[in-house]
Amino acid sequence: MKKSDLHPIPQYYDRYINLVPDVELSQAFDASIRELDSLDRTKLARLEGKRYAPGKWTINDIFQHLTDTERIMCYRTLLYARRDSTYPPGFDQDLLALNAHADKRPVHNLIQELTDVRRATASLFGSFDDETLQNKGISWTYEVTVLAMGFMIVGHQIHHLKGIEDKYYPLLDNH
């Protein structure tokens, strides 16, 4: 199913979903993996440990955040897909980042982990038929479909990679 099959696009998650082109979900996952594969790891390694402002995450924190969030969203999605009415709890992204110790790992390792998780996520979503993609659940406080969760995961990556490009790459020009 395509992004245009979402009716309506869920509130809050629209900020991520709207970043994804109107393509089949499988194509969106494939494009996200290609984007990860094409990242300039040498350039990103030069940014390790840098912050564009006090209190902001490092790029290592961002890649770990993407992986952690994707794993949590996949758990939620699996509940919705299987019609389990368990209400999945929220999570504190800053606490997760603080305790992940991502800056102790090289960025290329974090990108590889995210790529591996993304492939598993694409496989999970590939196992859902159109009826399952329409199943609904509550994520945080918003009703979402399984399909919306897939596009949100892809859009979340687009959002953060754009942030790296806009806020972190300029740090290299200053040195």
Side-chain angles (χ1 to χ4, degrees):
M1 296 182 78
K2 295 174 114 177
K3 183 177 85 173
S4 56
D5 293 319
L6 291 171
H7 300 293
I9 293 178
Q11 186 180 350
Y12 181 77
Y13 295 115
D14 58 344
R15 70 188 72 202
Y16 303 120
I17 294 169
N18 287 333
L19 297 174
V20 183
D22 187 25
V23 296
E24 294 289 329
L25 181 58
S26 61
Q27 293 172 303
F29 278 125
D30 290 346
S32 72
I33 292 167
R34 284 192 306 275
E35 184 175 31
L36 291 172
D37 287 342
S38 72
L39 289 172
D40 185 339
R41 284 160 173 74
T42 303
K43 187 175 186 178
L44 289 167
R46 292 176 42 218
L47 288 166
E48 286 183 31
K50 296 187 185 318
R51 301 172 196 276
Y52 70 89
K56 295 298 183 180
W57 289 344
T58 65
I59 59 160
N60 293 45
D61 292 328
I62 292 170
F63 283 110
Q64 187 65 63
H65 164 73
L66 285 167
T67 301
D68 289 351
T69 300
E70 185 158 332
R71 286 178 164 139
I72 291 166
M73 293 302 161
C74 282
Y75 165 70
R76 291 176 177 180
T77 300
L78 188 59
L79 293 177
Y80 312 150
R82 304 294 191 249
R83 299 181 189 267
D84 182 331
S85 61
T86 302
Y87 182 79
F91 65 99
D92 183 334
Q93 66 182 13
D94 292 315
L95 185 62
L96 291 178
L98 177 68
N99 290 301
H101 308 291
D103 286 329
K104 293 182 179 179
R105 297 173 60 194
V107 71
H108 70 84
N109 181 272
L110 294 162
I111 296 168
Q112 185 58 56
E113 181 182 7
L114 176 57
T115 304
D116 293 344
V117 168
R118 180 59 47 85
R119 282 185 167 79
T121 298
S123 180
L124 173 67
F125 278 85
S127 74
F128 301 145
D129 60 20
D130 286 354
E131 180 181 335
T132 302
L133 288 170
Q134 295 301 322
N135 288 355
K136 294 178 182 175
I138 302 297
S139 182
W140 191 27
T141 59
Y142 301 100
E143 183 176 76
V144 296
T145 62
V146 170
L147 182 63
M149 293 294 282
F151 281 108
M152 188 283 300
I153 289 168
V154 173
H156 188 234
Q157 173 183 307
I158 293 168
H159 166 78
H160 281 292
L161 291 182
K162 179 78 169 123
I164 289 172
E165 183 179 320
D166 292 346
K167 296 175 181 173
Y168 290 84
Y169 284 167
L171 297 176
L172 295 174
D173 298 335
N174 296 336
H175 292 79

